[in-house]
Amino acid sequence: VLELGTYCGYSAIRMASALPMLVETVEEDPLRVVITRCMIAMSNLSDRIKVWIGNSASVFPRLQGPFQAVFLDHAGKYFLRDLRHFQSLNLGERRAVIVANHQLKPAAPEFLWEVTQSHLTQVVSVPEFEQALEDWMTITLLTRHIPKLGAVPPGIRALEKLSNDIQSRASDRRVRRKVGALEDWTNFVQEMKTGFGALDISATAKFESVTEAADE
């Protein structure tokens, strides 16, 4: 398994604990890499997780592969670029599985358009971490190479701008701390769902937690 976007190692540790295979994870922030390696050592998983420091451009040529699965958990604006790079180096097994996080908040519209139009993809509705908001994850079985250039509808370009705008505002601490910040995200999520819906893109499955299943 290859993960892009380690943060502090939570998902890498969860995957390595659950799967009988090596997890390789890529993170370009040196401080996060230090924290991750400490967390991995404390979890006694140093032989199961390999942490690479750098971005995809610098790390990909050094990877061996082939990978059965890829978890995209870094900045969504790089998802499509990095997946194309991954395929160009033949790092994935034939029909590799690609799982992408944050497809609704803050979204990666061009990536979502590509995988829902030309690959076998499930769009899964999931609760956003620590917020009463909906997010989406995609699970894709790659069936072909993604072209370097592809035409996308104007609606996707509009959603890209909407995503970039709110991410720019969210990076401002003054905006994040204001009382209406959660309302801004709530409205954003609804706008994205409406925009994707106009393009016939919507959630095809819903995540059900163990607690929810037990309550039924």
Side-chain angles (χ1 to χ4, degrees):
V1 177
L2 174 65
E3 176 187 49
L4 302 183
T6 311
Y7 193 53
C8 294
Y10 174 78
S11 53
I13 290 171
R14 291 294 299 268
M15 287 189 288
S17 300
L19 302 172
M21 59 182 65
L22 177 68
V23 175
E24 299 190 47
T25 182
V26 181
E27 174 60 56
E28 62 180 339
D29 186 322
L31 178 58
R32 291 177 179 173
V33 170
V34 171
I35 294 172
T36 295
R37 287 175 173 161
C38 290
M39 296 296 291
I40 291 170
M42 292 171 62
S43 302
N44 197 30
L45 290 169
S46 297
D47 61 332
R48 301 282 309 286
I49 304 174
K50 184 172 184 177
V51 184
W52 294 86
I53 183 169
N55 57 29
S56 60
S58 63
V59 172
F60 276 11
R62 293 182 281 159
L63 298 176
Q64 295 298 312
F67 294 95
Q68 296 178 357
V70 182
F71 180 38
L72 303 176
D73 197 24
H74 55 321
K77 61 184 178 182
Y78 300 128
F79 283 5
L80 200 54
R81 180 203 69 181
D82 289 345
L83 186 54
R84 287 178 178 136
H85 190 192
F86 174 85
Q87 288 189 304
S88 72
L89 296 175
N90 295 315
L91 289 173
E93 290 190 354
R94 184 175 178 273
R95 299 171 76 83
V97 175
I98 310 297
V99 179
N101 204 5
H102 303 305
Q103 291 297 288
L104 190 59
K105 176 186 177 290
E110 189 175 357
F111 173 87
L112 183 57
W113 171 259
E114 173 61 38
V115 298
T116 54
Q117 300 307 302
S118 54
H119 298 275
L120 300 176
T121 297
Q122 283 270 34
V123 181
V124 184
S125 173
V126 298
E128 172 65 358
F129 180 67
E130 290 190 339
Q131 288 185 325
L133 294 171
E134 180 184 6
D135 199 357
W136 291 349
M137 295 182 71
T138 54
I139 304 172
T140 299
L141 184 66
L142 289 184
T143 55
R144 64 171 179 82
H145 272 66
I146 294 176
K148 289 186 178 180
L149 295 174
V152 298
I156 290 295
R157 295 300 181 206
L159 293 175
E160 289 274 5
K161 183 179 185 305
L162 187 64
S163 175
N164 291 336
D165 286 349
I166 197 166
Q167 288 183 77
S168 178
R169 297 200 306 272
S171 65
D172 187 328
R173 291 184 178 180
R174 293 169 299 179
V175 174
R176 289 204 306 267
R177 291 173 179 172
K178 74 174 187 176
V179 175
L182 181 58
E183 184 179 349
D184 287 348
W185 278 114
T186 301
N187 293 335
F188 169 81
V189 166
Q190 188 55 52
E191 285 186 73
M192 295 300 284
K193 289 181 69 175
T194 300
F196 283 130
L199 297 165
D200 293 324
I201 299 174
S202 60
T204 56
K206 181 179 179 181
F207 171 78
E208 187 177 78
S209 69
V210 174
T211 303
E212 289 173 333
D215 290 339
E216 293 183 355

